[in-house]
Amino acid sequence: MRRGLIVAVIVTTLSWGLGQLMDKLGVSSLTDTPTSAAVLLRQAMALGMLCVWGGLTGKIKDVRRAPRRAWALLAASGCLGVAVGGVAYYYALGAADISAVAVFTSGYPLVTLVLAAVVLNERLSIMKVVGTLLVLGGLAVLMG
Amino acid sequence: MSAAGIVWSVITLLAWGGAAIFDKLALNSMKGLSSLAAVIIRMMFAVLGVLVIALCMGVVDEVRTIKPITVLYLALSGVFGAVIGQGAYYYVAKSGQVSKVVAFTAGYPLVTVVLAIAFLHEPLTWRKIAATAMIVAGLMILAASREAPEKPMPAATPEPGVPPCAGG
């Protein structure tokens, strides 16, 4: 891999890890404020940042060009993944250690894998089964 | 992990995992359009969704009572997760080596664990070490076994290893 690519991979990984730490610090600093109010503020700020980014790069124009089917599917994804998932994630952060929650919830591709096989008829290879078993084992260890 | 922690984490796991299917179907219908546009549309509905949840719980007004330090942490979460992390991810995804790159970035929970131990002084137990090693190894194998994309293009939505909440 080129040096620039390696740096970008490191920045990506560190940023996601740091982002989760900030989530935990944010939840921990809530006193009387309900968690869902904090999630609303966090997602609204993230939307603002993404719009600025889209505006600066000129890619925000593609929002209007997206077909209705994409809008409907992304609406379902946003409501389920970011709204429901986001609120549940912040409640989990308030109830357990971030090191446990971050590791536990990182196993979500497993759910996607199963749904992709059932809903989209995607093929399951031996490597995917091995990876799945490892993730399931890790989740079991964490829950036990 | 407490019972409440497990219940909320399982709901998170199911919601994130299920949402990725909608993301994939949406991307298939957005050929030739920017993946950032997909992220923005998704986040618009996410804010609407959280607003509905907050309205149902009657807590929208409470946003005004959030302390400045909390606002700072939440803003930094957005900066790291949605802007810097996602931006760097687009850069590496453009290289066309998505499968290889995702296998590396799947290790982000390790970063969170190390940071939590260093800054929040959370206890490091053998159980956490074993679970982290197994899950990260499993995610890396899953990511590496993904089929190569048809053409090099940035992935708009969570590949294995991308936290949907932190990733915007």
Side-chain angles (χ1 to χ4, degrees):
Chain A
M1 269 200 272
R2 286 180 292 113
R3 190 194 285 179
L5 206 59
I6 293 169
V7 171
V9 168
I10 292 170
V11 169
T12 305
T13 313
L14 286 178
S15 297
W16 289 338
L18 269 169
Q20 292 204 318
L21 182 74
M22 293 302 143
D23 287 331
K24 175 67 180 179
L25 287 169
V27 169
S28 301
S29 65
L30 290 173
T31 44
D32 298 328
T33 311
T35 305
S36 47
V39 180
L40 178 61
L41 180 64
R42 192 273 183 199
Q43 306 299 28
M45 286 193 291
L47 175 62
M49 290 176 209
L50 288 169
C51 286
V52 169
W53 181 10
L56 290 174
T57 56
K59 288 178 177 168
I60 203 160
K61 290 175 192 161
D62 283 349
V63 169
R64 285 165 59 188
R65 280 191 242 152
R68 281 183 188 172
R69 178 177 157 79
W71 274 81
L73 289 163
L74 290 168
S77 166
C79 290
L80 180 65
V82 189
V84 176
V87 170
Y89 169 68
Y90 273 69
Y91 273 107
L93 286 181
D97 285 349
I98 173 70
S99 47
V101 174
V103 173
F104 193 100
T105 54
S106 69
Y108 80 89
L110 198 63
V111 178
T112 309
L113 195 79
V114 173
L115 288 175
V118 174
V119 181
L120 307 178
N121 293 321
E122 283 192 2
R123 199 169 52 85
L124 275 177
S125 64
I126 291 175
M127 288 295 277
K128 281 182 180 173
V129 173
V130 171
T132 301
L133 288 175
L134 268 171
V135 175
L136 275 177
L139 293 178
V141 169
L142 208 58
M143 285 169 77
Chain B
M1 217 173 163
S2 66
I6 290 174
V7 169
W8 287 117
S9 294
V10 168
I11 295 173
T12 308
L13 200 75
L14 293 174
W16 287 358
I21 297 289
F22 292 119
D23 291 331
K24 174 158 187 166
L25 292 171
L27 279 183
N28 288 345
S29 63
M30 285 184 72
K31 292 266 156 70
L33 296 177
S34 162
S35 46
L36 180 60
V39 177
I40 291 173
I41 295 171
R42 191 173 65 128
M43 188 54 91
M44 282 162 53
F45 285 100
V47 171
L48 269 177
V50 183
L51 184 64
V52 169
I53 292 172
L55 278 170
C56 291
M57 296 173 77
V59 298
V60 175
D61 286 343
E62 306 281 348
V63 170
R64 277 179 289 178
T65 66
I66 296 176
K67 289 182 292 183
I69 187 71
T70 308
V71 175
L72 177 67
Y73 287 139
L74 296 174
L76 285 174
S77 161
V79 168
F80 285 120
V83 180
I84 300 176
Q86 203 76 358
Y89 182 73
Y90 280 170
Y91 177 79
V92 292
K94 274 181 187 165
S95 72
Q97 302 179 58
V98 177
S99 295
K100 213 181 281 181
V101 163
V102 169
F104 284 107
T105 55
Y108 79 89
L110 281 178
V111 176
T112 309
V113 170
V114 171
L115 291 174
I117 291 162
F119 294 103
L120 305 179
H121 307 295
E122 288 189 359
L124 180 64
T125 62
W126 283 109
R127 177 170 282 176
K128 273 184 195 172
I129 294 171
T132 306
M134 288 173 79
I135 292 174
V136 169
L139 289 175
M140 287 178 168
I141 290 173
L142 286 178
S145 66
R146 287 179 67 243
E147 287 166 26
E150 287 171 18
K151 59 176 182 175
M153 63 176 289
T157 44
E159 299 285 346
V162 183
C165 191

